[in-house]
Amino acid sequence: MTDPDEELRVSKIRSGTVIDHIAAGQALNVLAILDIDGSGGEEVSVGMNVPSDRLGRKDVLKVEGRELSQAEVDVLSLIAPAATINIVREFDVVEKARVERPTVVRGILSCPNANCISTAGEPVESRFEVLEEAVRCGYCDELIREDLADHIAAD
Ligand code: CTP
Ligand code: ZN
């Protein structure tokens, strides 16, 4: 068992979302998916390479006052497939869910093909089909095979 004191290195939150069991090294990529860079004033705690019974090492993110959209959860499931999303209200975990690999992800990612209709400044939301080893653009069939986090839309 992990010493409960280890958990207290990142203190408990009152209300918001704890994203637990993130693959070690992915915390900053998950923050990018959530479009959190500190400039929005969100209260965020980040634990990196924290000991975990299940994963050996894990990252954990605690975001006060924020619940995640399905689109955000879908993309984060691709880079943190073991993640657990905990909704916290008044210090209690009121909802806990493992992420599931979606078949399609909408928004969040941007197509690397500069000629793609989804990147041409048109009001077209990106859409990628999730394959075993890649995601495929629903508009131009471009594949993203690795470093998905490098293709998070800056908005
Ligand atoms: N947590 C928090 N603030 C709270 C309540 C919980 O930051 N007010 C965090 C805990 O530190 C933990 C996660 O939310 O990282 C899940 O909490 P809990 O379900 O109590 O822990 P476990 O039972 O260890 O979770 P699991 O079984 O998913 O590993
Ligand atoms: Zn495309």
Side-chain angles (χ1 to χ4, degrees), residues 19-31 46-50 52 54-61 76-84 98-99:
I19 309 167
D20 198 0
H21 308 113
I22 299 169
Q26 293 297 334
L28 294 179
N29 290 333
V30 173
L31 284 174
V46 183
M48 290 187 188
N49 299 311
V50 177
S52 157
R54 185 144 41 101
L55 302 176
R57 298 272 165 183
K58 68 176 181 183
D59 290 354
V60 54
L61 284 177
L76 93 78
S77 75
L78 300 180
I79 65 165
T84 312
R98 286 284 292 273
V99 298

Side-chain angles (χ1 to χ4, degrees), residues 7 11-13 18 20-21 62 84 86 88 91 93 96:
E7 285 293 323
S11 56
K12 299 229 168 210
I13 62 170
V18 175
D20 198 0
H21 308 113
K62 303 188 178 190
T84 312
N86 299 275
V88 175
F91 293 105
V93 174
K96 181 188 289 284

Side-chain angles (χ1 to χ4, degrees), residues 111 116 137 140:
C111 183
C116 179
C137 179
C140 73

Side-chain angles (χ1 to χ4, degrees), residues 39-94:
S39 65
E42 307 93 340
E43 225 175 285
V44 178
S45 306
V46 183
M48 290 187 188
N49 299 311
V50 177
S52 157
D53 293 335
R54 185 144 41 101
L55 302 176
R57 298 272 165 183
K58 68 176 181 183
D59 290 354
V60 54
L61 284 177
K62 303 188 178 190
V63 188
E64 281 281 357
R66 166 90 176 251
E67 298 192 4
L68 309 186
S69 71
Q70 191 60 48
E72 290 168 334
V73 172
D74 283 347
V75 177
L76 93 78
S77 75
L78 300 180
I79 65 165
T84 312
I85 313 282
N86 299 275
I87 309 292
V88 175
R89 296 203 185 115
E90 284 307 313
F91 293 105
D92 290 334
V93 174
V94 295

Side-chain angles (χ1 to χ4, degrees), residues 110-119 126-128 136-143:
S110 81
C111 183
N113 173 6
N115 296 318
C116 179
I117 181 78
S118 72
T119 55
S126 74
R127 179 162 48 83
F128 289 86
R136 180 167 61 208
C137 179
Y139 297 98
C140 73
D141 286 344
E142 180 90 1
L143 294 172

